[in-house]
Amino acid sequence: MMQYLVILLDDTSVSYCHYENTKMEKQLISLENLQAGILFAMKQNLIIQFVYPDYDLPEAYKKVIENIDNTKIVSALGTEKNADVVVFNGWGNLTDYDFSQSEEKAFVIRTSKTALFENHKKAIAILDKITRLNIVIIDVERFKDDDFEQYENVLNKLKTAVKEVCEKGKFPQLNLLTDRILLDKMNNCNAGIENITLAPNGKFYICPAFYFENESDFVGELSSGVNIKNKQLYTLEYAPICRKCDAYQCKRCVWLNRKTTMEVNTPSHEQCVITHLERNASRELLNDLHLYDAFLDNEIETIDYLDPFEKTNEYNF
Ligand code: SF4
């Protein structure tokens, strides 16, 4: 069931996920489309997530936005200070950011694999200052065998850091390690199923990535509503490998799937291995936390594979 409407306020709205926003020219959504989008959300009972550009919005827009409950996704460089989600595009501005009064906010760091390997200590340094941090790798498809090894090492270091913060009585949420601990079923992105995106041009897209990749890839308009062809393909039930998988924290990114395998419901080897390395590191963290009597009801099984595709026969996937 649809639950969220993502509204891109401008063509230069910050990317908060795997996709790159390469648009440089401002194109603010019209006030008319903004109001129509909000009305659409109200009629469908959807929670709105506004994605902000870096510049200050006109007062008329601010007024309309504040008339409805919403979540604000904002760049760390943006002028909107009342953010719910703050996005760092890379690691450059992390050390200068004032993390005081950050408890209510979630943070996102978008990073390439190499930058993560080089800068993960900067994430470790803020773990005791934040409530939630999402690290989003933007070049998943470029992982090679050596990178998997390096990623495992980074996860180990992050795991030790999370454990040390837990020992001080705090539980920082780090998507790569703690989401799987807290989940007992799939918690994927569910673009096209639970959320849909309205772009500044007044058209709907599966998610922002589909808009920025190809504007003609829309799945409806404000005037006619959402109409997704073969909608079932976006569901877990129609993803034969994923539906048997227990890497519950996986975003199961349908845009990344299409980019790497040409099918929205078929993941790449890289995505699965990365996610299973996270799953296994989460398991080790959970076992460590059990020693402190934390999360005693939660268990993550030991498994002997990193890519479920390789086990399709043996495990009856
Ligand atoms: S790890 Fe692979 S099989 Fe498991 S949910 Fe993610 S994409 Fe699907």
Coordinates of all heavy atoms in Angstrom, one line a residue, residues 207-297:
C207 N 10.9 6.6 -8.3 CA 11.7 7.2 -7.3 C 12.5 8.3 -7.9 O 12.5 8.4 -9.2 CB 12.6 6.2 -6.6 SG 14.2 5.8 -7.4
P208 N 13.2 9.2 -7.2 CA 13.9 10.3 -7.8 C 15.0 9.8 -8.8 O 15.2 10.5 -9.8 CB 14.7 11.0 -6.6 CG 13.8 10.7 -5.4 CD 13.2 9.3 -5.7
A209 N 15.6 8.6 -8.6 CA 16.6 8.1 -9.5 C 16.0 8.0 -10.9 O 16.7 8.3 -11.9 CB 17.1 6.8 -9.0
F210 N 14.8 7.5 -11.0 CA 14.2 7.3 -12.3 C 13.9 8.7 -13.0 O 14.1 8.7 -14.3 CB 12.8 6.6 -12.2 CG 13.0 5.1 -11.9 CD1 13.4 4.7 -10.6 CD2 12.7 4.1 -12.8 CE1 13.6 3.3 -10.3 CE2 12.8 2.8 -12.6 CZ 13.3 2.4 -11.3
Y211 N 13.6 9.7 -12.3 CA 13.5 11.0 -12.9 C 14.8 11.6 -13.4 O 14.9 12.0 -14.5 CB 12.9 12.0 -11.8 CG 12.9 13.4 -12.2 CD1 12.1 13.9 -13.3 CD2 13.6 14.4 -11.6 CE1 12.1 15.2 -13.8 CE2 13.6 15.7 -12.0 CZ 12.9 16.1 -13.1 OH 12.9 17.4 -13.5
F212 N 15.8 11.5 -12.5 CA 17.1 12.1 -12.9 C 17.8 11.3 -14.0 O 18.5 11.9 -14.8 CB 18.0 12.2 -11.7 CG 17.5 13.3 -10.8 CD1 17.1 13.0 -9.5 CD2 17.5 14.6 -11.2 CE1 16.7 14.0 -8.6 CE2 17.1 15.6 -10.3 CZ 16.6 15.3 -9.0
E213 N 17.5 10.0 -14.1 CA 18.0 9.2 -15.2 C 17.3 9.5 -16.6 O 18.0 9.6 -17.6 CB 18.0 7.8 -14.9 CG 18.8 6.9 -15.9 CD 18.8 5.5 -15.4 OE1 17.8 4.8 -15.5 OE2 19.9 5.0 -15.0
N214 N 16.0 9.6 -16.5 CA 15.3 9.8 -17.8 C 13.9 10.4 -17.5 O 13.0 9.7 -17.0 CB 15.2 8.4 -18.5 CG 14.4 8.5 -19.8 OD1 14.0 9.6 -20.2 ND2 14.1 7.4 -20.4
E215 N 13.7 11.6 -17.8 CA 12.5 12.3 -17.5 C 11.3 11.7 -18.2 O 10.1 11.9 -17.7 CB 12.5 13.8 -17.9 CG 13.3 14.6 -16.9 CD 13.2 16.1 -17.2 OE1 12.2 16.6 -17.6 OE2 14.3 16.8 -17.0
S216 N 11.5 11.0 -19.3 CA 10.3 10.4 -20.0 C 9.9 9.1 -19.3 O 8.9 8.4 -19.7 CB 10.6 10.1 -21.4 OG 11.9 10.3 -21.8
D217 N 10.6 8.7 -18.2 CA 10.3 7.4 -17.6 C 9.2 7.6 -16.5 O 9.3 7.0 -15.4 CB 11.6 6.9 -16.9 CG 11.7 5.4 -16.9 OD1 10.7 4.8 -17.2 OD2 12.7 4.9 -16.4
F218 N 8.3 8.5 -16.7 CA 7.3 8.8 -15.7 C 6.2 7.8 -15.6 O 5.9 7.0 -16.6 CB 6.7 10.2 -15.8 CG 6.0 10.5 -17.1 CD1 4.6 10.3 -17.2 CD2 6.7 10.9 -18.2 CE1 4.0 10.5 -18.4 CE2 6.1 11.1 -19.4 CZ 4.7 10.9 -19.5
V219 N 5.5 7.7 -14.5 CA 4.4 6.7 -14.3 C 3.1 7.3 -13.9 O 2.4 6.8 -13.1 CB 4.9 5.6 -13.2 CG1 6.0 4.7 -13.7 CG2 5.3 6.3 -11.9
G220 N 2.9 8.5 -14.4 CA 1.6 9.2 -14.1 C 1.9 10.7 -14.0 O 3.0 11.2 -14.0
E221 N 0.8 11.4 -14.0 CA 0.8 12.9 -13.9 C -0.2 13.3 -12.8 O -1.1 12.6 -12.5 CB 0.5 13.5 -15.2 CG 1.4 13.0 -16.3 CD 1.2 13.8 -17.6 OE1 1.2 15.0 -17.6 OE2 1.0 13.1 -18.6
L222 N 0.0 14.6 -12.4 CA -0.9 15.1 -11.3 C -2.3 15.1 -11.8 O -3.3 14.8 -11.0 CB -0.5 16.5 -10.9 CG 0.6 16.6 -9.9 CD1 1.2 18.0 -9.8 CD2 0.1 16.1 -8.5
S223 N -2.5 15.3 -13.1 CA -3.9 15.4 -13.6 C -4.6 14.0 -13.7 O -5.8 13.9 -13.5 CB -3.9 16.0 -15.0 OG -2.9 15.3 -15.8
S224 N -3.8 13.0 -13.9 CA -4.4 11.6 -14.1 C -4.1 10.6 -13.0 O -4.7 9.5 -13.0 CB -4.0 11.1 -15.5 OG -2.6 11.2 -15.6
G225 N -3.1 10.9 -12.1 CA -2.8 10.0 -11.0 C -1.7 9.0 -11.4 O -1.1 9.1 -12.5
V226 N -1.4 8.1 -10.6 CA -0.2 7.2 -10.8 C -0.7 5.9 -11.5 O -1.8 5.4 -11.2 CB 0.3 6.7 -9.4 CG1 1.5 5.7 -9.6 CG2 0.8 7.9 -8.6
N227 N 0.0 5.5 -12.5 CA -0.3 4.3 -13.3 C 1.0 3.6 -13.6 O 1.6 3.8 -14.6 CB -1.1 4.7 -14.5 CG -1.5 3.5 -15.3 OD1 -1.5 2.4 -14.8 ND2 -1.8 3.7 -16.6
I228 N 1.3 2.6 -12.8 CA 2.6 1.9 -13.0 C 2.3 0.6 -13.7 O 1.6 -0.3 -13.2 CB 3.2 1.5 -11.6 CG1 3.5 2.8 -10.8 CG2 4.6 0.8 -11.8 CD1 3.9 2.6 -9.4
K229 N 3.0 0.5 -14.9 CA 2.8 -0.8 -15.7 C 3.5 -1.9 -15.0 O 4.6 -1.7 -14.5 CB 3.4 -0.6 -17.1 CG 2.5 0.3 -17.9 CD 3.0 0.3 -19.4 CE 2.3 1.4 -20.1 NZ 3.3 2.3 -20.8
N230 N 2.9 -3.1 -15.0 CA 3.5 -4.3 -14.4 C 4.0 -4.0 -12.9 O 5.1 -4.3 -12.5 CB 4.7 -4.8 -15.2 CG 4.3 -5.3 -16.5 OD1 3.3 -5.9 -16.6 ND2 5.1 -5.0 -17.5
K231 N 3.1 -3.4 -12.2 CA 3.4 -2.9 -10.8 C 3.9 -4.1 -10.0 O 4.7 -3.9 -9.1 CB 2.1 -2.3 -10.2 CG 2.4 -1.6 -8.9 CD 1.1 -0.9 -8.4 CE 1.4 -0.4 -7.1 NZ 0.3 0.2 -6.4
Q232 N 3.4 -5.3 -10.2 CA 3.7 -6.4 -9.4 C 5.2 -6.7 -9.4 O 5.8 -7.3 -8.4 CB 3.0 -7.7 -9.8 CG 3.4 -8.4 -11.1 CD 2.9 -7.6 -12.4 OE1 2.1 -6.6 -12.3 NE2 3.2 -8.1 -13.6
L233 N 5.9 -6.3 -10.5 CA 7.4 -6.6 -10.6 C 8.2 -5.9 -9.5 O 9.3 -6.2 -9.2 CB 7.9 -6.2 -12.0 CG 7.4 -7.0 -13.1 CD1 8.0 -6.6 -14.4 CD2 7.7 -8.5 -12.9
Y234 N 7.6 -4.8 -8.9 CA 8.3 -4.1 -7.9 C 8.1 -4.7 -6.5 O 8.7 -4.3 -5.5 CB 7.8 -2.6 -7.8 CG 8.2 -1.9 -9.1 CD1 7.3 -1.9 -10.2 CD2 9.4 -1.2 -9.3 CE1 7.6 -1.3 -11.4 CE2 9.7 -0.6 -10.5 CZ 8.8 -0.6 -11.5 OH 9.1 0.0 -12.7
T235 N 7.2 -5.7 -6.4 CA 6.9 -6.3 -5.1 C 7.9 -7.4 -4.8 O 8.5 -8.0 -5.6 CB 5.5 -6.9 -5.1 OG1 5.4 -7.9 -6.0 CG2 4.5 -5.8 -5.4
L236 N 8.0 -7.6 -3.5 CA 8.9 -8.7 -3.0 C 8.5 -10.1 -3.5 O 9.3 -10.9 -3.9 CB 8.9 -8.7 -1.4 CG 9.9 -9.6 -0.7 CD1 11.3 -9.3 -1.1 CD2 9.7 -9.5 0.8
E237 N 7.2 -10.3 -3.6 CA 6.6 -11.6 -4.1 C 7.1 -11.9 -5.5 O 7.3 -13.1 -5.8 CB 5.1 -11.5 -4.1 CG 4.4 -11.5 -2.7 CD 4.6 -10.2 -2.0 OE1 4.7 -9.1 -2.7 OE2 4.8 -10.2 -0.8
Y238 N 7.4 -10.9 -6.3 CA 7.8 -11.1 -7.7 C 9.4 -11.1 -7.8 O 9.9 -11.0 -8.9 CB 7.2 -10.2 -8.6 CG 5.8 -10.7 -9.0 CD1 4.7 -10.6 -8.2 CD2 5.6 -11.3 -10.3 CE1 3.4 -11.0 -8.5 CE2 4.3 -11.7 -10.6 CZ 3.3 -11.6 -9.8 OH 2.0 -12.0 -10.1
A239 N 10.1 -11.0 -6.7 CA 11.5 -11.0 -6.7 C 12.0 -12.4 -6.1 O 12.1 -12.6 -4.9 CB 12.1 -9.9 -5.8
P240 N 12.1 -13.4 -7.0 CA 12.3 -14.8 -6.6 C 13.5 -15.0 -5.6 O 13.4 -15.9 -4.7 CB 12.4 -15.6 -7.9 CG 12.7 -14.6 -8.9 CD 12.2 -13.3 -8.5
I241 N 14.6 -14.3 -5.8 CA 15.7 -14.5 -4.9 C 15.5 -13.8 -3.6 O 15.6 -14.3 -2.5 CB 17.0 -14.1 -5.6 CG1 17.2 -14.8 -6.9 CG2 18.2 -14.3 -4.7 CD1 18.4 -14.4 -7.8
C242 N 15.1 -12.5 -3.7 CA 15.0 -11.7 -2.5 C 13.9 -12.2 -1.6 O 14.1 -12.0 -0.4 CB 14.6 -10.2 -2.9 SG 15.8 -9.5 -4.0
R243 N 12.9 -12.8 -2.1 CA 11.8 -13.1 -1.2 C 12.2 -14.3 -0.2 O 11.5 -14.5 0.8 CB 10.5 -13.4 -1.9 CG 10.5 -14.7 -2.7 CD 9.2 -15.0 -3.3 NE 9.3 -16.3 -4.0 CZ 8.9 -16.5 -5.3 NH1 8.4 -15.5 -6.0 NH2 9.1 -17.6 -5.9
K244 N 13.3 -15.0 -0.5 CA 13.7 -16.0 0.4 C 14.9 -15.6 1.2 O 15.4 -16.3 2.0 CB 14.2 -17.3 -0.5 CG 13.1 -17.9 -1.3 CD 12.4 -18.9 -0.5 CE 11.3 -19.6 -1.2 NZ 11.7 -20.7 -2.1
C245 N 15.4 -14.4 0.9 CA 16.6 -13.9 1.6 C 16.3 -13.3 3.0 O 15.2 -12.8 3.2 CB 17.2 -12.8 0.7 SG 18.6 -12.0 1.3
D246 N 17.3 -13.4 3.9 CA 17.0 -12.8 5.2 C 18.0 -11.7 5.5 O 18.2 -11.3 6.7 CB 17.1 -13.9 6.3 CG 18.5 -14.2 6.7 OD1 19.4 -13.9 5.9 OD2 18.6 -14.8 7.8
A247 N 18.5 -11.0 4.5 CA 19.3 -9.8 4.7 C 18.2 -8.7 4.7 O 18.1 -7.9 3.8 CB 20.3 -9.6 3.6
Y248 N 17.5 -8.6 5.8 CA 16.3 -7.8 5.9 C 16.6 -6.3 5.7 O 15.7 -5.5 5.4 CB 15.6 -8.0 7.2 CG 15.1 -9.4 7.4 CD1 15.1 -9.9 8.7 CD2 14.6 -10.2 6.4 CE1 14.6 -11.2 9.0 CE2 14.2 -11.5 6.6 CZ 14.2 -12.0 7.9 OH 13.7 -13.3 8.2
Q249 N 17.9 -5.9 6.0 CA 18.2 -4.5 5.9 C 18.4 -4.0 4.5 O 18.6 -2.8 4.3 CB 19.4 -4.2 6.8 CG 20.8 -4.4 6.1 CD 21.2 -5.8 5.9 OE1 20.4 -6.8 6.2 NE2 22.3 -6.0 5.3
C250 N 18.4 -4.9 3.5 CA 18.8 -4.6 2.2 C 17.7 -3.6 1.6 O 16.5 -3.8 1.8 CB 18.8 -5.9 1.3 SG 19.2 -5.5 -0.4
K251 N 18.2 -2.6 0.9 CA 17.3 -1.6 0.3 C 16.6 -2.2 -0.9 O 15.6 -1.7 -1.4 CB 18.0 -0.3 0.0 CG 18.3 0.6 1.2 CD 17.0 1.0 1.8 CE 17.0 0.9 3.3 NZ 15.8 0.6 4.0
R252 N 17.2 -3.3 -1.5 CA 16.6 -3.9 -2.7 C 16.2 -2.9 -3.7 O 15.1 -2.8 -4.1 CB 15.4 -4.8 -2.3 CG 15.2 -6.0 -3.1 CD 14.1 -6.9 -2.5 NE 12.8 -6.3 -2.4 CZ 11.9 -6.2 -3.3 NH1 12.2 -6.6 -4.6 NH2 10.8 -5.6 -3.1
C253 N 17.2 -2.1 -4.1 CA 17.0 -0.9 -4.9 C 16.6 -1.3 -6.3 O 17.4 -1.9 -7.1 CB 18.3 -0.1 -4.9 SG 18.2 1.3 -6.0
V254 N 15.4 -1.0 -6.7 CA 14.9 -1.4 -8.0 C 15.6 -0.6 -9.1 O 15.7 -1.2 -10.3 CB 13.3 -1.3 -8.1 CG1 12.7 -2.3 -7.2 CG2 12.8 0.1 -7.8
W255 N 16.0 0.6 -8.9 CA 16.7 1.4 -9.9 C 18.1 0.8 -10.1 O 18.5 0.6 -11.3 CB 16.8 2.8 -9.4 CG 17.7 3.7 -10.3 CD1 17.4 4.1 -11.5 CD2 19.0 4.1 -10.1 NE1 18.4 4.8 -12.1 CE2 19.5 4.8 -11.2 CE3 19.9 3.9 -9.0 CZ2 20.7 5.4 -11.3 CZ3 21.2 4.5 -9.1 CH2 21.6 5.2 -10.2
L256 N 18.8 0.4 -9.0 CA 20.1 -0.2 -9.2 C 19.9 -1.6 -9.9 O 20.8 -2.0 -10.7 CB 20.7 -0.4 -7.8 CG 22.2 -0.5 -7.6 CD1 22.9 0.7 -8.3 CD2 22.5 -0.4 -6.1
N257 N 18.9 -2.3 -9.5 CA 18.6 -3.6 -10.2 C 18.5 -3.4 -11.7 O 19.1 -4.1 -12.5 CB 17.3 -4.2 -9.7 CG 17.5 -4.8 -8.3 OD1 18.5 -4.8 -7.7 ND2 16.3 -5.2 -7.7
R258 N 17.7 -2.4 -12.1 CA 17.5 -2.2 -13.5 C 18.8 -1.8 -14.2 O 19.1 -2.2 -15.3 CB 16.4 -1.2 -13.7 CG 15.9 -1.2 -15.2 CD 14.8 -0.2 -15.4 NE 15.4 1.2 -15.3 CZ 14.7 2.3 -15.6 NH1 13.5 2.2 -16.0 NH2 15.2 3.5 -15.5
K259 N 19.6 -1.0 -13.5 CA 20.8 -0.5 -14.1 C 21.8 -1.6 -14.3 O 22.5 -1.7 -15.2 CB 21.4 0.6 -13.1 CG 22.6 1.3 -13.6 CD 23.0 2.4 -12.5 CE 24.4 2.9 -12.8 NZ 24.9 3.7 -11.7
T260 N 21.8 -2.6 -13.3 CA 22.9 -3.6 -13.4 C 22.4 -4.9 -14.0 O 23.3 -5.6 -14.6 CB 23.4 -3.9 -11.9 OG1 22.2 -4.2 -11.1 CG2 24.1 -2.8 -11.3
T261 N 21.1 -5.2 -14.0 CA 20.7 -6.5 -14.5 C 19.6 -6.3 -15.6 O 19.1 -7.3 -16.1 CB 20.2 -7.5 -13.4 OG1 18.9 -6.9 -12.9 CG2 21.1 -7.7 -12.3
M262 N 19.2 -5.1 -15.8 CA 18.1 -4.8 -16.7 C 16.7 -5.2 -16.2 O 15.7 -5.1 -16.9 CB 18.3 -5.4 -18.1 CG 19.7 -5.3 -18.7 SD 20.1 -3.7 -19.1 CE 19.5 -3.6 -20.8
E263 N 16.6 -5.8 -15.0 CA 15.4 -6.2 -14.5 C 15.2 -5.5 -13.1 O 16.1 -5.6 -12.3 CB 15.4 -7.7 -14.2 CG 15.7 -8.6 -15.4 CD 14.6 -8.9 -16.2 OE1 13.4 -8.5 -15.9 OE2 14.8 -9.6 -17.3
V264 N 14.0 -4.9 -12.9 CA 13.8 -4.3 -11.6 C 13.8 -5.2 -10.4 O 14.0 -4.9 -9.3 CB 12.5 -3.4 -11.6 CG1 12.7 -2.2 -12.5 CG2 11.3 -4.2 -11.9
N265 N 13.5 -6.5 -10.7 CA 13.3 -7.5 -9.6 C 14.5 -8.5 -9.5 O 14.4 -9.4 -8.8 CB 12.0 -8.2 -9.7 CG 11.8 -8.9 -11.0 OD1 12.6 -8.7 -11.9 ND2 10.8 -9.7 -11.2
T266 N 15.6 -8.2 -10.2 CA 16.7 -9.1 -10.1 C 18.0 -8.2 -9.7 O 18.4 -7.3 -10.4 CB 17.1 -9.7 -11.5 OG1 15.9 -10.3 -12.0 CG2 18.2 -10.7 -11.4
P267 N 18.5 -8.6 -8.5 CA 19.7 -7.8 -8.0 C 21.0 -8.2 -8.6 O 21.1 -9.3 -9.1 CB 19.6 -8.1 -6.5 CG 19.1 -9.5 -6.4 CD 18.1 -9.6 -7.6
S268 N 22.0 -7.4 -8.5 CA 23.3 -7.7 -9.0 C 24.0 -8.5 -7.9 O 23.7 -8.4 -6.7 CB 24.1 -6.4 -9.3 OG 24.3 -5.7 -8.1
H269 N 25.0 -9.2 -8.3 CA 25.9 -10.0 -7.4 C 26.5 -9.0 -6.4 O 26.6 -9.3 -5.2 CB 27.0 -10.6 -8.3 CG 28.2 -11.2 -7.5 ND1 28.0 -12.4 -6.7 CD2 29.4 -10.8 -7.3 CE1 29.2 -12.7 -6.2 NE2 30.1 -11.7 -6.5
E270 N 27.0 -7.9 -6.8 CA 27.6 -6.9 -6.0 C 26.7 -6.5 -4.8 O 27.1 -6.4 -3.7 CB 28.1 -5.7 -6.7 CG 29.2 -5.9 -7.7 CD 28.8 -6.6 -9.0 OE1 27.6 -6.6 -9.3 OE2 29.6 -7.0 -9.8
Q271 N 25.4 -6.1 -5.2 CA 24.5 -5.7 -4.2 C 24.3 -6.8 -3.1 O 24.3 -6.5 -1.9 CB 23.2 -5.3 -4.8 CG 22.1 -4.8 -3.8 CD 21.0 -4.1 -4.4 OE1 21.1 -3.5 -5.5 NE2 19.9 -4.0 -3.7
C272 N 24.1 -8.0 -3.6 CA 23.9 -9.1 -2.6 C 25.1 -9.3 -1.7 O 24.9 -9.6 -0.5 CB 23.5 -10.4 -3.4 SG 21.9 -10.3 -4.1
V273 N 26.3 -9.3 -2.3 CA 27.5 -9.6 -1.4 C 27.7 -8.5 -0.4 O 27.9 -8.8 0.8 CB 28.7 -9.8 -2.3 CG1 30.0 -10.0 -1.5 CG2 28.6 -11.1 -3.2
I274 N 27.6 -7.3 -0.9 CA 27.7 -6.2 0.1 C 26.7 -6.3 1.2 O 27.1 -6.2 2.4 CB 27.5 -4.8 -0.7 CG1 28.7 -4.6 -1.6 CG2 27.3 -3.7 0.3 CD1 28.5 -3.4 -2.6
T275 N 25.5 -6.6 0.9 CA 24.4 -6.7 1.9 C 24.7 -7.8 2.8 O 24.4 -7.7 4.0 CB 23.1 -6.8 1.2 OG1 23.0 -5.7 0.2 CG2 21.9 -6.7 2.1
H276 N 25.2 -8.9 2.3 CA 25.4 -10.1 3.2 C 26.7 -9.9 4.1 O 26.7 -10.4 5.2 CB 25.5 -11.4 2.4 CG 24.2 -11.9 2.1 ND1 23.4 -11.4 1.1 CD2 23.4 -12.9 2.7 CE1 22.2 -12.1 1.1 NE2 22.2 -13.0 2.0
L277 N 27.6 -9.1 3.6 CA 28.7 -8.8 4.5 C 28.2 -7.9 5.7 O 28.6 -8.1 6.8 CB 29.8 -8.0 3.7 CG 30.6 -8.8 2.7 CD1 31.5 -7.9 1.8 CD2 31.5 -9.9 3.4
E278 N 27.3 -7.0 5.3 CA 26.6 -6.2 6.4 C 25.8 -7.1 7.4 O 25.9 -7.0 8.6 CB 25.7 -5.2 5.8 CG 26.4 -4.1 5.0 CD 25.5 -3.4 4.1 OE1 24.2 -3.6 4.1 OE2 26.0 -2.6 3.2
R279 N 25.1 -8.1 6.8 CA 24.3 -9.0 7.6 C 25.2 -9.7 8.6 O 24.8 -9.9 9.7 CB 23.6 -9.9 6.6 CG 22.7 -11.0 7.3 CD 22.6 -12.2 6.5 NE 21.8 -13.3 7.1 CZ 22.3 -14.1 8.0 NH1 23.6 -14.1 8.4 NH2 21.5 -15.1 8.5
N280 N 26.3 -10.2 8.0 CA 27.2 -11.0 8.9 C 27.9 -10.2 10.0 O 28.0 -10.7 11.1 CB 28.2 -11.8 8.0 CG 27.6 -12.8 7.1 OD1 26.4 -13.1 7.4 ND2 28.3 -13.3 6.2
A281 N 28.2 -9.0 9.6 CA 28.8 -8.1 10.6 C 27.8 -7.7 11.7 O 28.1 -7.6 12.9 CB 29.4 -6.8 9.9
S282 N 26.5 -7.6 11.2 CA 25.4 -7.3 12.2 C 25.3 -8.5 13.1 O 25.0 -8.3 14.3 CB 24.1 -7.1 11.4 OG 24.2 -6.1 10.5
R283 N 25.4 -9.7 12.6 CA 25.3 -10.9 13.5 C 26.4 -10.9 14.5 O 26.1 -11.1 15.7 CB 25.4 -12.1 12.6 CG 25.3 -13.4 13.3 CD 25.4 -14.6 12.4 NE 25.7 -15.7 13.2 CZ 26.9 -16.1 13.6 NH1 27.9 -15.4 13.2 NH2 27.0 -17.1 14.4
E284 N 27.6 -10.5 14.1 CA 28.7 -10.5 15.1 C 28.4 -9.4 16.2 O 28.7 -9.6 17.4 CB 30.0 -10.3 14.4 CG 30.5 -11.5 13.7 CD 31.7 -11.2 12.8 OE1 32.4 -10.2 13.0 OE2 32.0 -12.0 11.9
L285 N 28.0 -8.3 15.7 CA 27.7 -7.2 16.6 C 26.6 -7.6 17.6 O 26.7 -7.4 18.8 CB 27.2 -5.9 15.9 CG 26.8 -4.7 16.7 CD1 27.9 -4.2 17.7 CD2 26.3 -3.6 15.9
L286 N 25.5 -8.3 17.1 CA 24.4 -8.7 17.9 C 24.9 -9.7 19.0 O 24.6 -9.6 20.2 CB 23.3 -9.4 17.1 CG 22.2 -10.0 17.8 CD1 21.4 -8.9 18.6 CD2 21.2 -10.7 16.8
N287 N 25.8 -10.6 18.6 CA 26.4 -11.6 19.5 C 27.2 -10.9 20.6 O 27.1 -11.3 21.8 CB 27.2 -12.6 18.8 CG 26.4 -13.6 18.0 OD1 25.2 -13.7 18.2 ND2 27.0 -14.3 17.1
D288 N 27.9 -9.9 20.2 CA 28.6 -9.1 21.2 C 27.7 -8.4 22.2 O 27.9 -8.3 23.4 CB 29.5 -8.0 20.6 CG 30.7 -8.6 19.9 OD1 31.0 -9.8 20.2 OD2 31.3 -7.9 19.1
L289 N 26.6 -7.8 21.6 CA 25.6 -7.1 22.5 C 24.9 -8.1 23.4 O 24.5 -7.7 24.5 CB 24.6 -6.3 21.6 CG 25.2 -5.2 20.8 CD1 24.2 -4.5 19.9 CD2 25.9 -4.2 21.6
H290 N 24.7 -9.3 23.0 CA 24.1 -10.3 23.9 C 24.9 -10.4 25.2 O 24.3 -10.7 26.3 CB 24.1 -11.7 23.2 CG 23.0 -11.8 22.2 ND1 22.8 -12.9 21.4 CD2 21.9 -11.0 22.0 CE1 21.7 -12.8 20.6 NE2 21.2 -11.6 21.0
L291 N 26.2 -10.3 25.1 CA 27.1 -10.4 26.3 C 26.7 -9.3 27.4 O 27.0 -9.4 28.5 CB 28.5 -10.2 26.0 CG 29.1 -11.2 25.0 CD1 30.5 -10.9 24.6 CD2 29.0 -12.7 25.6
Y292 N 26.1 -8.2 26.8 CA 25.6 -7.1 27.8 C 24.1 -7.3 28.0 O 23.4 -6.3 28.4 CB 25.9 -5.8 27.2 CG 27.4 -5.5 26.9 CD1 27.9 -5.7 25.6 CD2 28.2 -5.2 27.9 CE1 29.2 -5.5 25.4 CE2 29.6 -5.1 27.7 CZ 30.1 -5.2 26.4 OH 31.4 -5.0 26.1
D293 N 23.6 -8.4 27.7 CA 22.1 -8.7 27.9 C 21.2 -7.8 27.1 O 20.1 -7.5 27.4 CB 21.7 -8.5 29.4 CG 22.3 -9.6 30.2 OD1 22.6 -10.7 29.7 OD2 22.4 -9.4 31.5
A294 N 21.8 -7.3 26.0 CA 20.9 -6.5 25.1 C 20.5 -7.3 23.9 O 21.2 -8.2 23.4 CB 21.8 -5.3 24.6
F295 N 19.3 -7.0 23.4 CA 18.6 -7.7 22.3 C 18.7 -9.2 22.4 O 18.9 -9.9 21.4 CB 19.3 -7.2 21.0 CG 19.3 -5.8 20.8 CD1 20.5 -5.0 21.0 CD2 18.2 -5.1 20.4 CE1 20.5 -3.6 20.8 CE2 18.1 -3.7 20.3 CZ 19.3 -3.0 20.4
L296 N 18.4 -9.7 23.6 CA 18.5 -11.2 23.8 C 17.5 -11.9 23.0 O 17.7 -13.1 22.7 CB 18.3 -11.5 25.3 CG 19.5 -11.1 26.2 CD1 19.3 -11.3 27.6 CD2 20.8 -11.7 25.7
D297 N 16.4 -11.3 22.6 CA 15.3 -12.0 21.9 C 15.6 -12.0 20.4 O 14.9 -12.7 19.6 CB 14.0 -11.3 22.0 CG 13.5 -11.4 23.5 OD1 13.9 -12.4 24.1 OD2 12.6 -10.6 23.9

